[in-house]
Amino acid sequence: MSTTPDDPRPAHGPAAPAGQSPPEPVKAIPVRHPGRWVAAGFLLLFAAMFVHMLVTNPAFDWPFLFEQMFSAPVLIGVRTTIILAAVSLALGIAIGIVVAVMRLSDNPVLVSVAWLYTWFFRAVPRIVLCVLFGNVAILYQTLELGIPFDNYWLPLLGFEDGARFYSVPMETLLSPFVAAVIALSLSQGAYMAEIVRAGLLSVDKGQTEAAQALGMNQGLVLRRITLPQALRVIIPPTGNEATAIMKDTSLVSAIPLTTELFFQLQQIGARTFNLFPMLVAACLWYLAITSVMMAGQYYLEQAFSRSDRSARGAGGAGRGAAPSVQSE
Amino acid sequence: MTQNTAEAGVVTGPGDDRMVVAENVHKSFGRLEVLRGIDLEVRRGEVACVVGPSGSGKSTFLRCINHLEKISAGKLWVDGQLMGYRQRAGKLYELHDSQVARQRRGIGMVFQNFNLFPHMTVLGNVMEAPVRVKGEPRSAARERALELLDRVGLADKAPEYPRQLSGGQQQRAAIARALAMHPELMLFDEPTSALDPELVGDVLDVMKGLAEEGMTMIVVTHEMGFAREVGDKLVFMDGGVVVESGEPRGVLSDPRHERTRAFLSKVL
């Protein structure tokens, strides 16, 4: 198709001139995907079989399940699980921040200690940690505060009594709940340390320099500049960690901490010789708690990407105006 | 050249009119020697423009002035204070992080890549240091921040986030942020090098205004026009040393050294 020089309208003009009818939409026969139909058919069939089993198999015993799911010991178990997960996560995050900062410090002792901590607590399974901390009382019957190694060197100076100011039996101090918190938060802290470290390293070095140039000391730079910016990298994996620790509270019956959700449901199942509905009830409870947490994570992530989103709203103006030119 | 070395070795005091004194400053990164003996003096109210090819150590020297880089040898005074160290009984003691931070309060710095804090609004960026470092009350800091933003032509951008601003606007906001600490000395590290050409003028105008008010400034730049018009002193660096320095028009029109002449012939 050619256009004469006089014709002001190019043959393949971008817009149809006014007055002309709109272009005819493309009418084509779409590509067939028989494989998709077959797969979808099979999956629907399996789903129907599954639902049929849920409804008809007497082993589910739904009335018993729902009755027990909201019984008093189970609700106490839910409460324990949530509190344990929340406290362990909070302590784990605090430990993680401290260990990450140690890991990034200039002090070789701090760096090695942080590395050893992360190495140990990531290597040992949580259930082993739970049993270990449940049995710490074997190591120390009483916890005593005093001057370190006093029994070695104080007798040399003529004192026989030692220098212990305060002592408390381990059993009262280390209740199963406390042991569970210690085991889970130490383990969580090791994972959080790596996440926080990655977050801190993701913040541009220029941010630290700009803050230092304004006269901020290291603590202020961390608190006001690097850590808040690292949060955007830290929060998504921390959401995963939160669901993981919530589920791993089911391990603490090994301590034994028996007021926990899964143990309670199992006990009811054992007592009534009707185990399977209680296992399903456990699935339903963990599903419910995790779903609420995922919703919370969604809103948290939204809140922390605020400065990003408003930039996108403005068409990202000036985004490309900061090339990563290195100053010499 | 001679004027730079003539008074070297004399420790400046607060009454001294010299704001920055660098004495035989060396800086190495591992085996790479970036600065090989810089002698330089900048007097109060003076605008010194540092030019030179890339890799000549200009930016490194600027970063040494506020101790973002530790110098390997030599001495550096700002406003009569030895940067990063304390000298007592002939011995040098390294200063603690918080003491270095205190020294830096009086020195504003503007970076090539702006380095505004992306998680704070423009107003928040400017208020941050006065409130957190100096402990100024928020209301006073806010008033002063708005004044400064108005002065750099960004009064209407106060509630926005840095990424919503153009490069030129970001750099002017960064200048306002540095000024909020009432610095006695401003360091500019290639402040216009990352900007689109059409945005350079606004930033240079703000810097010119500062110079006219008597701010002591050290500007690492490639803007020869700015150096000629605003600078009181032009410092040409190459290979980690000051090759030549003096009155800008003189150096630009009649460079004494072959190396300066070669560089200027390429950039002018």
Side-chain angles (χ1 to χ4, degrees):
Chain A
M1 197 173 167
S2 67
T3 34
T4 59
D6 301 356
D7 192 348
R9 182 159 45 86
H12 303 282
Q20 251 183 14
S21 60
E24 195 179 321
V26 174
K27 271 187 199 152
I29 293 158
V31 177
R32 305 287 183 202
H33 296 284
R36 285 185 195 171
W37 285 100
V38 172
F42 268 107
L43 288 178
L44 281 174
L45 183 67
F46 290 143
M49 286 165 73
F50 183 70
V51 171
H52 178 256
M53 175 191 71
L54 288 183
V55 175
T56 58
N57 195 321
F60 282 102
D61 201 351
W62 294 103
F64 174 72
L65 187 157
F66 285 115
E67 185 197 318
Q68 293 301 323
M69 203 177 150
F70 298 100
S71 64
V74 174
L75 290 181
I76 290 174
V78 171
R79 195 185 63 184
T80 308
T81 287
I82 291 175
I83 293 175
L84 186 57
V87 172
S88 304
L89 183 67
L91 285 176
I93 291 172
I95 294 172
I97 292 173
V98 172
V99 174
V101 171
M102 284 167 68
R103 197 65 198 277
L104 296 173
S105 80
D106 295 327
N107 183 334
V109 176
L110 292 185
V111 173
S112 322
V113 168
W115 185 87
L116 271 172
Y117 168 83
T118 316
W119 171 72
F120 181 83
F121 282 98
R122 283 207 305 178
V124 180
R126 279 181 176 167
I127 190 156
V128 177
L129 287 176
C130 284
V131 178
L132 191 72
F133 279 95
N135 291 292
V136 161
I138 296 172
L139 214 55
Y140 296 105
Q141 271 82 40
T142 55
L143 182 79
E144 295 174 325
L145 289 182
I147 299 170
F149 299 114
D150 55 349
N151 49 333
Y152 291 109
W153 57 272
L154 270 183
L156 301 178
L157 304 177
F159 299 97
E160 295 298 334
D161 294 343
R164 315 267 163 113
F165 317 123
Y166 177 75
S167 83
V168 59
M170 208 61 177
E171 273 174 50
T172 49
L173 195 72
L174 204 72
S175 68
F177 184 81
V178 173
V181 166
I182 294 176
L184 291 181
S185 47
L186 283 178
S187 167
Q188 189 60 54
Y191 290 99
M192 286 310 303
E194 290 297 285
I195 293 173
V196 173
R197 189 168 72 104
L200 289 175
L201 288 176
S202 77
V203 179
D204 182 37
K205 206 167 168 287
Q207 292 290 312
T208 308
E209 289 180 350
Q212 285 177 333
L214 286 168
M216 293 191 182
N217 59 34
Q218 286 173 355
L220 205 52
V221 174
L222 179 73
R223 222 173 55 238
R224 296 289 306 169
I225 308 302
T226 31
L227 205 50
Q229 293 185 58
L231 278 183
R232 270 183 33 231
V233 173
I234 292 173
I235 285 176
T238 303
N240 285 339
E241 291 298 316
T243 46
I245 192 94
M246 202 279 296
K247 290 180 292 184
D248 284 353
T249 55
S250 60
L251 301 173
V252 300
S253 56
I255 284 178
L257 174 63
T258 51
T259 53
E260 161 272 323
L261 173 63
F262 184 53
F263 187 80
Q264 287 300 322
L265 284 163
Q266 267 183 309
Q267 282 301 102
I268 296 172
R271 205 172 57 233
T272 58
F273 300 105
N274 201 357
L275 180 61
F276 199 76
M278 294 302 94
L279 300 181
V280 177
C283 292
L284 293 178
W285 265 120
Y286 286 118
L287 263 176
I289 300 171
T290 311
S291 305
V292 172
M293 287 169 67
M294 282 167 68
Q297 185 192 353
Y298 172 79
Y299 286 110
L300 202 61
E301 277 176 30
Q302 293 286 306
F304 271 96
S305 57
R306 210 171 27 210
S307 57
D308 259 5
R309 259 187 318 149
S310 43
R312 252 174 255 139
R319 253 206 151 166
S324 52
V325 184
Q326 291 298 311
S327 55
E328 61 193 60
Chain B
M1 273 288 266
T2 48
Q3 97 190 39
N4 291 334
T5 49
E7 293 166 60
V10 181
V11 180
T12 61
D16 201 315
D17 82 325
R18 291 176 301 176
M19 179 61 91
V20 178
V21 178
E23 188 187 302
N24 197 23
V25 168
H26 287 254
K27 172 69 189 175
S28 307
F29 293 102
R31 298 182 60 184
L32 180 70
E33 223 185 351
V34 180
L35 300 180
R36 301 187 300 168
I38 304 275
D39 291 305
L40 186 72
E41 287 179 18
V42 178
R43 296 180 182 279
R44 279 174 204 281
E46 203 171 43
V47 176
C49 293
V50 183
V51 300
S54 46
S56 60
K58 319 182 288 287
S59 287
T60 303
F61 175 61
L62 201 69
R63 292 157 58 82
C64 286
I65 294 175
N66 69 351
H67 207 60
L68 281 181
E69 305 284 0
K70 276 186 189 174
I71 60 178
S72 315
K75 282 182 184 159
L76 223 162
W77 289 268
V78 174
D79 203 9
Q81 287 186 48
L82 198 57
M83 283 305 290
Y85 301 93
R86 184 178 32 221
Q87 199 167 21
R88 198 191 288 156
K91 278 188 184 164
L92 274 189
Y93 295 88
E94 228 176 69
L95 289 183
H96 190 266
D97 161 63
S98 56
Q99 293 167 314
V100 178
R102 191 170 283 273
Q103 288 187 326
R104 289 193 185 117
R105 285 187 193 182
I107 308 171
M109 186 159 192
V110 173
F111 297 85
Q112 183 177 5
N113 296 326
F114 331 132
N115 291 341
L116 287 173
F117 306 133
H119 58 303
M120 299 177 185
T121 60
V122 170
L123 182 66
N125 266 276
V126 183
M127 285 172 62
E128 180 65 15
V131 171
R132 301 283 164 180
V133 177
K134 275 193 175 167
E136 282 182 22
R138 290 194 74 84
S139 55
R142 188 187 159 84
E143 206 170 301
R144 161 111 175 120
L146 288 171
E147 245 175 64
L148 284 168
L149 285 174
D150 186 45
R151 176 171 162 189
V152 299
L154 294 175
D156 56 327
K157 299 291 183 190
E160 298 196 14
Y161 282 92
R163 279 179 178 163
Q164 292 165 273
L165 270 54
S166 74
Q169 291 169 335
Q170 287 192 50
Q171 193 59 296
R172 284 181 281 146
I175 294 173
R177 176 176 72 174
L179 291 176
M181 287 296 280
H182 299 276
E184 304 247 343
L185 167 68
M186 285 285 284
L187 308 175
F188 292 85
D189 187 5
E190 301 198 26
T192 57
S193 296
L195 299 179
D196 291 341
E198 54 181 347
L199 303 175
V200 168
D202 290 339
V203 173
L204 290 182
D205 285 346
V206 168
M207 290 167 61
K208 196 175 158 191
L210 266 181
E212 280 163 2
E213 282 172 33
M215 176 67 77
T216 315
M217 295 163 56
I218 302 181
V219 186
V220 170
T221 187
H222 296 295
E223 299 288 334
M224 294 302 162
F226 178 84
R228 187 202 317 264
E229 196 185 342
V230 182
D232 299 307
K233 180 185 232 169
L234 188 74
V235 180
F236 174 68
M237 278 179 68
D238 190 23
V241 294
V242 174
V243 174
E244 181 164 1
S245 80
E247 198 274 319
R249 282 167 215 277
V251 176
L252 287 172
S253 59
D254 182 25
R256 293 175 193 282
H257 287 259
E258 184 49 45
R259 189 68 197 85
T260 319
R261 209 167 295 150
F263 174 75
L264 290 177
S265 72
K266 278 180 205 151
V267 296
L268 285 181

